[in-house]
Amino acid sequence: MDAAPDARRTAVAVRDLRLALPEGGDRAYAVDGVSFDLVAGEILCLVGESGSGKSMCAHALMGLLPKAVRPAGGTIRLGDLDLAAQDEAGWRDTRGRRIAMIFQEPMTALNPLMRIGDQMAEMFEAHGLLTPRARRARVLALAEEVGLPEPGRIVRAYPHQLSGGQRQRAMIAMALALEPAILVADEPTTALDVTTQAQILGLIRALQARRNMAVLFITHDFGVVAEIADRVMVLRHGRVVEAGTAAAVLGRPQAAYTKALLAAVPSMDPPPRTPPGGLKAVEVAGLEKTYVTGGGWWRKPRRVEAARDVAFALHRGETLGLVGESGSGKSSVARLVMRLIEPDRGTVRLGDTDLTRLRGEALRRARSRIQMVFQDPFASLNPRRKVGRIIADGPMAHGVAEAEAMARARRLVDLVGLDAGALDRFPHEFSGGQRQRIGIARALALEPEVLVADEAVSALDVSVQAQVLALLEDLKQRLGLSMLFITHDLRVAAQICDRIAVMRRGEIVELKSAAGLFADPEHPYTRALLDAVPGRPRRAA
């Protein structure tokens, strides 16, 4: 299937691309017979779940395929040049000059030991362009073009000194440095909060239109597709299942798989819920936490208020959402509630127990009543232990006999929808969604009263995300759990939360029912967050 509308304006033509996987796997090809055109002045979105082949298509366009993946057929034509047949010397000349890439995670793509300006200037140096003085001037101009604040300061900073959005803008500046005709963006906004995401999407769209670039934009977020795409191509298992204009694919999908993906996108309309009440599982009052960093002989220390007079109650059987931008304090509040960090002042009550007063063994026993599901299960699961032991370790640490702990692990893997064979496998043998189920099982192993879920579904595809959200809701009902759910995704919050607290700069600025918040947001910051959700119609001024 070909997604090309007009070959006369084609910047890159991909025909029958095949990328072979090592023998012995689940399938022979990572990409199997894919054809599409990148057209000047348009954005083509590649959509699909993890493993669909969309990132492999991007890496093939950049000559950055993993060693285990080998070209097995097809052509990638950039004018008269067949990119698929280039040697490394040819790629060095093509990359940056004619085709450039924005990576998903700028913190890992940027060199932590080099200043941002030096990394941007390196693009010109690698191609033998401009004098050192001209490079510095061009770096400042690029920083201004992508909207970096205080460009003179930013170009002297290191990556860790910038916010996520600023690092992504720096990556975009590097990609645009040599004015390429084609831009490849691989999930460039996945890890960003909604307002920063909206800014980056607007920036890419504006730069693309100004420079008349062809853009290949890879994403699994249909809200982003609705916001930015001119055309859409849906991949599954390395093959194209549907392609067409954004309006046609989103509004009148033909393939069953496309319909299933669209159906899995969380709605912004909260389902009807019974208002919470009754006993309080967690009560937070006057919680405050300030981080102090830096400082020295000539510099004042930097103070960041992560929590300022935070107060809320989580009722038994309720899901309370904490939403806000990166740096709003929501994850710090979660860790304060868990007593993973110490508050400066305030109280956290777990039922009748004041957690802030506990120390030592008493705190360790109380922690069994409140457990956390982390954002990245692959990072939080011990890669050297089998799943059964990962789940059983918690109960065993609290005095449960090994036989009983393993029996509990068997019950839990069944409860979260995995087969018993999962107990004897290692975390790397599972998909992202399956690993998150293991993380949930581990959190439930101590039979807690409260679950704290910190961005527990933000890294998952929409269909897997829907499955994990349904699992959490089912477990909450069956086990009588209360849940503190931290997320920057307002669509997810709408579907799972009974009430939502909006955080900004360490403060809760609005707290009401999910239905009330989405129907009638009161605080300007809440309205700004809702308006920034990609694909959502903008609110009238």
PDB file of all heavy atoms in Angstrom, residues 62 100 128 138 293 313 465 486 528:
ATOM      1  N   MET A  62      17.539   7.044   7.901  1.00  0.00           N
ATOM      2  CA  MET A  62      18.733   7.716   8.410  1.00  0.00           C
ATOM      3  C   MET A  62      19.984   6.852   8.342  1.00  0.00           C
ATOM      4  O   MET A  62      21.064   7.295   8.737  1.00  0.00           O
ATOM      5  CB  MET A  62      18.495   8.137   9.871  1.00  0.00           C
ATOM      6  CG  MET A  62      17.458   9.220  10.052  1.00  0.00           C
ATOM      7  SD  MET A  62      17.937  10.800   9.310  1.00  0.00           S
ATOM      8  CE  MET A  62      19.412  11.204  10.224  1.00  0.00           C
ATOM      9  N   ALA A 100      17.486  14.866   8.370  1.00  0.00           N
ATOM     10  CA  ALA A 100      17.890  14.958   9.773  1.00  0.00           C
ATOM     11  C   ALA A 100      16.821  14.350  10.663  1.00  0.00           C
ATOM     12  O   ALA A 100      15.675  14.157  10.245  1.00  0.00           O
ATOM     13  CB  ALA A 100      18.147  16.410  10.163  1.00  0.00           C
ATOM     14  N   GLY A 128      32.523  20.503   7.799  1.00  0.00           N
ATOM     15  CA  GLY A 128      33.517  21.463   7.327  1.00  0.00           C
ATOM     16  C   GLY A 128      32.934  22.787   6.893  1.00  0.00           C
ATOM     17  O   GLY A 128      33.451  23.429   5.964  1.00  0.00           O
ATOM     18  N   ARG A 138      25.608  31.453  14.110  1.00  0.00           N
ATOM     19  CA  ARG A 138      24.533  30.610  13.588  1.00  0.00           C
ATOM     20  C   ARG A 138      23.855  29.827  14.711  1.00  0.00           C
ATOM     21  O   ARG A 138      22.632  29.639  14.696  1.00  0.00           O
ATOM     22  CB  ARG A 138      25.109  29.648  12.545  1.00  0.00           C
ATOM     23  CG  ARG A 138      24.085  28.747  11.890  1.00  0.00           C
ATOM     24  CD  ARG A 138      23.096  29.531  11.073  1.00  0.00           C
ATOM     25  NE  ARG A 138      22.107  28.653  10.457  1.00  0.00           N
ATOM     26  CZ  ARG A 138      20.802  28.880  10.424  1.00  0.00           C
ATOM     27  NH1 ARG A 138      20.318  29.979  10.975  1.00  0.00           N
ATOM     28  NH2 ARG A 138      19.993  28.046   9.831  1.00  0.00           N
ATOM     29  N   THR A 293      19.385  23.148  46.051  1.00  0.00           N
ATOM     30  CA  THR A 293      20.467  22.587  45.247  1.00  0.00           C
ATOM     31  C   THR A 293      21.482  23.668  44.904  1.00  0.00           C
ATOM     32  O   THR A 293      21.177  24.872  44.937  1.00  0.00           O
ATOM     33  CB  THR A 293      19.933  21.978  43.938  1.00  0.00           C
ATOM     34  OG1 THR A 293      19.275  23.002  43.176  1.00  0.00           O
ATOM     35  CG2 THR A 293      18.955  20.871  44.208  1.00  0.00           C
ATOM     36  N   ALA A 313      -7.699  14.550  50.817  1.00  0.00           N
ATOM     37  CA  ALA A 313      -8.088  13.270  51.410  1.00  0.00           C
ATOM     38  C   ALA A 313      -8.373  12.285  50.285  1.00  0.00           C
ATOM     39  O   ALA A 313      -8.988  12.642  49.278  1.00  0.00           O
ATOM     40  CB  ALA A 313      -9.315  13.429  52.299  1.00  0.00           C
ATOM     41  N   GLN A 465      -2.276   0.480  27.053  1.00  0.00           N
ATOM     42  CA  GLN A 465      -2.677   1.428  28.088  1.00  0.00           C
ATOM     43  C   GLN A 465      -4.117   1.177  28.522  1.00  0.00           C
ATOM     44  O   GLN A 465      -4.419   1.135  29.726  1.00  0.00           O
ATOM     45  CB  GLN A 465      -2.523   2.849  27.547  1.00  0.00           C
ATOM     46  CG  GLN A 465      -2.807   3.954  28.528  1.00  0.00           C
ATOM     47  CD  GLN A 465      -2.694   5.318  27.867  1.00  0.00           C
ATOM     48  OE1 GLN A 465      -3.608   5.753  27.165  1.00  0.00           O
ATOM     49  NE2 GLN A 465      -1.585   5.986  28.059  1.00  0.00           N
ATOM     50  N   ILE A 486      -0.972   9.411  39.628  1.00  0.00           N
ATOM     51  CA  ILE A 486      -0.225  10.570  39.142  1.00  0.00           C
ATOM     52  C   ILE A 486      -0.065  10.452  37.635  1.00  0.00           C
ATOM     53  O   ILE A 486       0.377   9.415  37.124  1.00  0.00           O
ATOM     54  CB  ILE A 486       1.162  10.658  39.811  1.00  0.00           C
ATOM     55  CG1 ILE A 486       1.026  11.015  41.292  1.00  0.00           C
ATOM     56  CG2 ILE A 486       2.026  11.716  39.142  1.00  0.00           C
ATOM     57  CD1 ILE A 486       0.907   9.848  42.189  1.00  0.00           C
ATOM     58  N   ALA A 528      -5.901  26.045  30.829  1.00  0.00           N
ATOM     59  CA  ALA A 528      -4.762  25.993  29.907  1.00  0.00           C
ATOM     60  C   ALA A 528      -4.320  24.551  29.668  1.00  0.00           C
ATOM     61  O   ALA A 528      -3.992  24.173  28.535  1.00  0.00           O
ATOM     62  CB  ALA A 528      -3.601  26.819  30.469  1.00  0.00           C
TER      63      ALA A 528
END
